[in-house]
Amino acid sequence: MSPPEAVTVGVGRLDSTERPGLVMVDCQRLFTLGGDPGTALGAAAETCGAVVAAAREAAVPVVWLRVVFDEGEDLGPVWTAKAPALTQLRPGAELAEFDPRTGYRDGDTVVTKKRASGFVRTDLDGVLRGLGVQTLAVAGFTTAGCVRATVVDAASLDYSPVVLADAMADRSQPIHDAALVDLDARYADVVADGVAWFHTLRGSAA
C-alpha cells in the first residue's frame, strides 16, 4: 500500500476586503499590564489605537470585546484553574477598563464575553451580521489566546478573517509568532501592517 500524499496547508489566500469590520479583542488593562513603552505589549497597544483610527477613517465599523465576570462561578472550570487572575475582571474594576491607548470611545459597540472566543455565548455574530460584515479584521490581546479563539470561530462561521499582526501581542514572543503562523496557515490572512491594510481599503473605495 502506497503512503498517502502529503497535505499542504496555507497555500491559499482569502484576499477579501468585502464588507469589512474590525473586532478589537480584550483591549483591557489586565491584558496590557506591563506594556510599558518599548515592550511588545506597549507597542501593540499603541498600534491598536492607530488601527482603530484608520478603521474609523475608512468608515469601517468597530466592535469591542471585553471579559467581565459578575459572579465568580461565571469564570468556569477551565479559567478558574488555568487563569485565576481573570477573577479581577469585575464590573467597575480598573483592570477591566479598556486601555486608553487602544482607541476605545464611549458609545462604541461593546460585546461582553465570558469565554475565550468572542462568539461563545454572546451576540457577536448577530451584531456583525447586522452591520453587514463579511471580512473580519481582528486585533487585540492575546494572540494565542482570545484572539486566536475568536479568529478560529470566525472562520467556522464563514467570515473572512484578517489578522492584524502588529496590533496584538502575547506574554511570550515565541507563542505569539507560532500562533500567527498557524492562523495564517489554516484560518485567516495575517497581515503585517494593520494601518496599511485599512489605507488600502480607502484607496480601493476611492
Side-chain angles (χ1 to χ4, degrees), residues 48-119:
C48 281
V51 160
V52 169
R56 296 190 201 279
E57 291 172 6
V60 171
V62 181
V63 177
W64 297 80
L65 295 176
R66 66 176 178 182
V67 180
V68 177
F69 298 102
D70 297 304
E71 304 290 341
E73 56 266 26
D74 289 344
L75 196 63
V78 174
W79 271 354
T80 296
K82 302 295 285 187
L86 297 182
T87 57
Q88 300 173 86
L89 296 176
R90 295 299 182 90
E94 182 178 356
L95 289 177
E97 296 175 356
F98 291 110
D99 186 318
R101 295 174 293 180
T102 61
Y104 172 76
R105 294 178 184 171
D106 288 341
D108 282 353
T109 301
V110 177
V111 173
T112 299
K113 65 187 181 71
K114 301 182 189 298
R115 295 294 183 268
S117 170
F119 291 100

Side-chain angles (χ1 to χ4, degrees), residues 28-35 39-41 141-144 169-176:
Q28 296 162 270
R29 292 179 184 271
L30 178 64
F31 302 109
T32 60
L33 202 61
T39 65
L41 281 171
F141 304 92
T142 57
T143 313
D170 212 301
R171 295 293 172 180
S172 161
Q173 190 65 38
I175 289 175
H176 166 82

Side-chain angles (χ1 to χ4, degrees), residues 125-173:
D125 187 40
V127 169
L128 295 174
R129 303 291 181 192
L131 292 168
V133 172
Q134 173 57 42
T135 301
L136 189 61
V138 183
F141 304 92
T142 57
T143 313
C146 294
V147 169
R148 185 183 187 282
T150 299
V151 170
V152 171
D153 281 355
S156 297
L157 290 167
D158 294 330
Y159 292 94
S160 298
V162 176
V163 174
L164 309 180
D166 59 339
M168 59 186 61
D170 212 301
R171 295 293 172 180
S172 161
Q173 190 65 38

